[in-house]
Amino acid sequence: MNGLTNYVSCGVLWLGLAVKAPDLVRHRHDPYLRAICAVLCLAGLCFFLGAPPTIGAVNRLSGVPNLAAPLTYAAITAYGAASQVLIVRWRGGAGVRRVARRWIVAYAGVILGIAVAFALGDAPEERRTDLDTYYARTPFIAEMIVLYLVAHLTAATVTMVSALGWARQVTGWLRAGLLLLGVGTLCNAGFSAAKLVAVSARWSGRDWAALDTNVSPAAAGLGALLTSVGILVPLTGPRLAERHQARRAYARLAPLERELDGVLTRRALRLPRPRWSFPHALLMWRQTSVQNALGYLDGTWDPLLYAETHEAALRATADPARAEATAWAAVIAEAALRDGERGDGKRTHLRSVSARSGSSGPVGAQGAGGAAAAAVGVTGVFGTTGTATGSASGTGAAGAAGAAGAFGADAAREAGPLPRLSGVPGAGPVDLVAVADALRGSALVADLRRRLRGADAANGVNGVNEVRPV
């Protein structure tokens, strides 16, 4: 009689309410959020009021034997109405307000009937756990018991049928939530059904009080757990999935950031790493760094290397998307290495795109300030376009800050394609994650990087154009 099951169930439901409370504060006029919070609040209240210690405290403080009973029954009835309103709001469609209002008015009438029946009846002996069966043959008290049980069973059955029927028409997190909600309300229906069977047995002179005192509380506790999870799954599931995707994309982008680390460090293009940040913020920070470096190197890509690597990768994998990523990984690795040579003051024989086209030469020849001015923020996966430009005398830090400002509220999306970068005719968009995967796992890129570094170590001047993929 310690009410542990009741209090645990109440805690689970009110924990779910605490999760949704901040959203309700921000959007207090949202009827859907109000319905969700009402269901969680009233369901927890039912278990709290139905716990034997709470029943004893209410009866003792009020001085009315068994006053806790109509209060608990009223909370159960209100919960049934809130469940119906939630389903109505969830499904939407025409006449939502009218249907919701009808459920509210009908169950308000049931609550009024419970109060009137208790006032007319006589229940002088306090019963904390078996009041339904003990007073099943008492005038007016019996009617009160049957009234709340039938109302609760009706609400649970309608909610169960609606949730399970709708679950067949949807997919994803909503389907999972509806299935859990349907099974949870089935358990709630079992709570009412077990009590009604026990009350009916009492009418016929049998003693099936175990259904009232043992079976129905267990069914209600399980139903509370499944119902609360079912309500929260469609709301929290997508957020958790987005966080997982952001965390996964952040980890997968690490090879690309490492490849560009020299450029980011030498040109001061990397923003300070955020501390204690959510996965989305960390992903945005890493994407910003990568895109700053790519913006700085844009115009130094080797189109011949791209074409030859793309052809070799396509021949090896027969996968156009993978070949595209491998080719971009090769030209990015080559450009990053050559930028390091320029930063170290080494002479380079890199034949830049601009040199082939008859223009002034590679970006690196203009110095760090000019390169920073050329570091234009590109349209990334976030759907916004920004420019990361530095002054003619700067080092590119201002460009990094500009790029960071180019990212908006859609930072939760996983890394995706960049637009076509200049200097590589016929090349497709850059998929950052695919390029990072190619840098980590492509044998072609690994062999190219090894031979590039070997050639540089041998003579310090050979460019990538003398080392072609096999």
Side-chain angles (χ1 to χ4, degrees):
M1 293 185 57
N2 58 9
L4 179 62
T5 300
N6 289 69
Y7 291 134
V8 169
S9 301
C10 175
V12 169
L13 289 160
W14 283 353
L15 178 62
L17 176 62
V19 170
K20 295 309 300 174
D23 291 337
L24 181 63
V25 171
R26 289 191 297 267
H27 309 285
R28 61 177 59 90
H29 299 298
D30 187 339
Y32 176 57
L33 275 175
R34 287 203 302 248
I36 290 174
C37 292
V39 168
L40 294 173
C41 177
L42 290 171
L45 183 62
C46 293
F47 284 101
F48 180 77
L49 291 175
T54 305
I55 292 173
V58 170
N59 294 338
R60 183 176 63 257
L61 293 174
S62 65
V64 179
N66 298 309
L67 178 63
L71 295 179
T72 304
Y73 299 162
I76 292 173
T77 304
Y79 163 73
S83 299
Q84 296 306 308
V85 172
L86 175 61
I87 289 294
V88 170
R89 295 289 184 186
W90 220 342
R91 299 205 62 154
V96 169
R97 291 184 178 179
R98 183 178 65 256
V99 175
R101 193 181 301 113
R102 287 176 179 176
W103 279 109
I104 293 172
V105 170
Y107 275 72
V110 173
I111 293 174
L112 179 60
I114 289 172
V116 171
F118 181 77
L120 295 176
D122 184 24
E125 183 177 347
E126 181 185 75
R127 309 297 298 187
R128 297 189 181 186
T129 60
D130 62 346
L131 184 142
D132 292 348
T133 50
Y134 187 84
Y135 287 109
R137 303 170 72 174
T138 302
F140 295 109
I141 301 298
E143 283 76 5
M144 177 189 70
I145 294 169
V146 172
L147 182 61
Y148 100 85
L149 287 176
V150 170
H152 181 262
L153 180 61
T154 301
T157 303
V158 173
T159 303
M160 176 190 66
V161 172
S162 300
L164 295 179
W166 190 17
R168 293 196 297 266
Q169 306 172 21
V170 296
T171 58
W173 292 105
L174 180 56
R175 178 185 176 86
L178 287 170
L179 289 174
L180 288 170
L181 181 61
V183 176
T185 50
L186 175 62
C187 294
N188 288 337
F191 162 83
S192 299
K195 281 184 171 290
L196 281 171
V197 170
V199 169
S200 301
R202 179 70 172 171
W203 291 342
S204 61
R206 298 182 179 87
D207 184 9
W208 290 1
L211 291 175
D212 181 23
T213 58
N214 297 329
V215 176
S216 61
L222 180 59
L225 176 63
L226 294 174
T227 299
S228 59
V229 173
I231 291 173
L232 294 176
V233 158
L235 303 172
T236 60
R239 293 183 184 179
L240 295 177
E242 287 177 1
R243 287 193 178 187
H244 173 71
Q245 291 174 359
R247 192 179 295 110
R248 184 168 177 264
Y250 173 80
R252 291 178 67 187
L253 281 174
L256 182 55
E257 187 192 10
R258 283 195 299 269
E259 193 70 33
L260 297 168
D261 181 72
V263 179
L264 292 167
T265 302
R266 284 188 300 272
R267 312 304 176 187
L269 296 174
R270 181 187 279 115
L271 297 176
R273 187 180 189 275
R275 296 182 179 181
W276 309 106
S277 296
F278 291 107
H280 296 156
L282 291 174
L283 174 60
M284 184 176 69
W285 168 78
R286 179 161 282 175
Q287 285 179 316
T288 302
S289 300
V290 167
Q291 293 194 18
N292 283 345
L294 294 180
Y296 174 85
L297 294 173
D298 193 16
T300 68
W301 317 123
D302 187 337
L304 183 57
L305 174 63
Y306 176 91
E308 293 179 352
T309 306
H310 185 276
E311 181 182 354
L314 189 60
R315 189 167 56 247
T317 64
D319 185 345
R322 188 174 174 185
E324 186 88 30
T326 302
W328 271 117
V331 297
I332 289 172
E334 182 271 341
L337 181 62
R338 295 311 174 207
D339 179 78
E341 292 178 356
R342 293 192 296 276
D344 295 336
K346 296 181 181 178
R347 187 164 64 93
T348 177
H349 286 249
L350 174 65
R351 294 179 297 168
S352 71
V353 175
S354 54
R356 288 194 187 92
S357 62
S359 59
S360 59
V363 173
Q366 302 171 13
V376 180
V378 291
T379 305
V381 297
F382 305 130
T384 54
T385 303
T387 56
T389 58
S391 65
S393 61
T395 61
F407 296 94
D410 292 328
R413 300 181 189 174
E414 188 171 351
L418 289 170
R420 299 178 188 278
L421 300 180
S422 62
V424 184
V430 184
D431 187 327
L432 294 181
V433 171
V435 171
D437 290 342
L439 284 168
R440 180 176 59 242
S442 172
L444 277 173
V445 176
D447 181 63
L448 174 66
R449 188 189 293 111
R450 184 169 54 252
R451 286 188 288 155
L452 274 170
R453 291 171 178 169
D456 287 341
N459 51 37
V461 297
N462 283 345
V464 68
N465 296 314
E466 286 76 38
V467 184
R468 293 298 173 192
V470 179

